[in-house]
Amino acid sequence: MTVKHLAIAPEGKKSLRLNWTNVAFFTTVHALALLAPWFFSWSALGLLLFLHWLFGSIGICLGYHRLLSHKSFQVPKWLEYAIATIGALAMQGGPIFWIGGHRQHHAHTEDVNLDPYSSQRGFWWSHMLWILYPRSEFFDYEIYQKYAPDLARQPFYRWLDRYFLLLQIPFGLLLYAIGGWSFVIYGVVLRAVLLWHSTWFVNSATHMWGYRTFNADDNARNLWWVSIVTYGEGWHNNHHTFPNVAKAGFQWWEVDVTWWSIKLLQTLGLAKKVVLPPSQRMNQG
């Protein structure tokens, strides 16, 4: 299997042919995750929770999503590359693939032909079937890189997009050296499965259930329990209404853990040009 965007081989435009390589890959990882009870230790559980936050909140939510996809704030280039590498370790695809697909989603939300994970095709399509039935317009590098030309121009991101899966080898070896198979099962396999589904719930659940604060043109909704497992990404109606804003939770009860990290970076002088919600911009203007 190749390492490029989870070995997904496009089958032709708008094809809905099942990709058995992807089925085998995701089935194997899910099956290995079932071994977790036999390798349990409290230290492994702690590692799982830490890496779920590090790769999920910092790598995916803060890095791939708010920093790279929407440019809702800026950090020094060395820090940007470090955060993008953390995102690549989440095993959710290379940065150009992830950002390109997400920008397609925002440009054509709910369109059954142009939105990679349109909820109009049903819960399971938007949750994971879009990966198992890959369409070339979303998985062909020559197409999706056009939605992320700012990243495709940079050799580092091109390399990371192609070889992101290889990062799991040294990472897995490091975990094995520290804590044996227990750390590998919990830190690589179980963590990947839980983080996959956490992120996928943003594509599926928050386009079907929850409340709408803003009368946006799509079906994105605010859903509290998705925000818990995604560190703030579940306030999806807020995000789709103001996609370039660095903060997803606008009300006091809309807890946004990822925003806390952005605020910390801002306090340390590492995050600049942080885009705030309109009401806060007016209050500070």
Side-chain angles (χ1 to χ4, degrees):
M1 138 176 145
T2 67
V3 296
K4 188 174 182 179
H5 47 74
L6 292 185
I8 293 175
E11 300 291 345
K13 188 173 183 180
K14 298 184 181 179
S15 169
L16 291 180
R17 188 178 305 170
L18 191 65
N19 185 292
W20 289 104
T21 301
N22 292 349
V23 172
F25 174 78
F26 285 100
T27 300
T28 299
V29 177
H30 278 74
L32 290 174
L34 297 177
L35 297 174
W38 287 272
F39 290 89
F40 176 81
S41 70
W42 289 108
S43 57
L45 179 60
L47 175 71
L48 167 66
L49 295 175
F50 171 73
L51 292 179
H52 190 282
W53 166 79
L54 180 65
F55 295 168
S57 181
I58 303 302
I60 296 297
C61 303
L62 184 151
Y64 271 21
H65 189 205
R66 304 189 198 187
L67 174 62
L68 296 178
S69 293
H70 297 291
K71 298 183 180 298
S72 60
F73 64 100
Q74 295 179 5
V75 296
K77 184 60 70 173
W78 65 267
L79 182 56
E80 177 187 311
Y81 283 175
I83 293 172
T85 302
I86 294 172
L89 281 165
M91 278 202 292
Q92 296 190 8
I96 302 176
F97 164 75
W98 202 104
I99 280 76
H102 189 71
R103 289 175 179 172
Q104 286 176 287
H105 167 66
H106 272 273
H108 309 288
T109 306
E110 315 292 11
D111 188 305
V112 295
N113 293 316
L114 300 177
D115 181 351
Y117 23 87
S118 171
S119 64
Q120 297 302 305
R121 288 179 177 265
F123 175 89
W124 286 108
W125 173 267
S126 58
H127 192 72
M128 63 185 298
L129 289 181
W130 68 280
I131 300 174
L132 302 182
Y133 290 88
R135 295 166 55 189
S136 62
E137 56 265 44
F138 307 133
F139 291 92
D140 185 337
Y141 176 83
E142 294 306 319
I143 298 177
Y144 69 69
Q145 62 90 20
K146 295 178 181 178
Y147 287 84
D150 49 328
L151 303 184
R153 285 192 294 267
Q154 302 180 53
F156 174 78
Y157 284 121
R158 293 197 301 271
W159 181 90
L160 198 60
D161 195 69
R162 184 175 182 84
Y163 297 112
F164 74 95
L165 270 184
L166 291 181
L167 298 178
Q168 297 301 315
I169 297 175
F171 180 66
L173 291 174
L174 174 63
L175 292 185
Y176 180 80
I178 296 173
W181 285 112
S182 177
F183 271 33
V184 174
I185 294 296
Y186 277 77
V188 176
V189 180
L190 185 58
R191 179 269 308 165
V193 169
L194 294 179
L195 191 53
W196 282 339
H197 288 282
S198 297
T199 303
W200 295 341
F201 277 134
V202 178
N203 301 335
S204 55
T206 63
H207 281 266
M208 294 187 173
W209 305 300
Y211 63 90
R212 289 163 55 85
T213 301
F214 303 99
N215 188 26
D217 294 332
D218 53 60
N219 202 37
R221 299 170 180 272
N222 295 325
L223 192 55
W224 67 270
W225 60 267
V226 174
S227 288
I228 291 176
V229 299
T230 59
Y231 309 97
E233 299 293 83
W235 310 120
H236 211 47
N237 173 247
N238 297 347
H239 171 63
H240 267 257
T241 306
F242 303 100
N244 67 327
V245 168
K247 185 179 183 181
F250 292 178
Q251 305 297 330
W252 66 265
W253 66 83
E254 295 175 342
V255 177
D256 183 358
V257 174
T258 300
W259 168 246
W260 301 346
S261 298
I262 297 173
K263 282 294 293 181
L264 177 60
L265 291 176
Q266 186 179 39
T267 301
L268 295 174
L270 293 173
K272 307 287 188 180
K273 298 183 178 180
V274 179
V275 182
L276 296 173
S279 60
Q280 294 189 30
R281 289 204 299 266
M282 288 186 293
N283 291 338
Q284 294 184 11

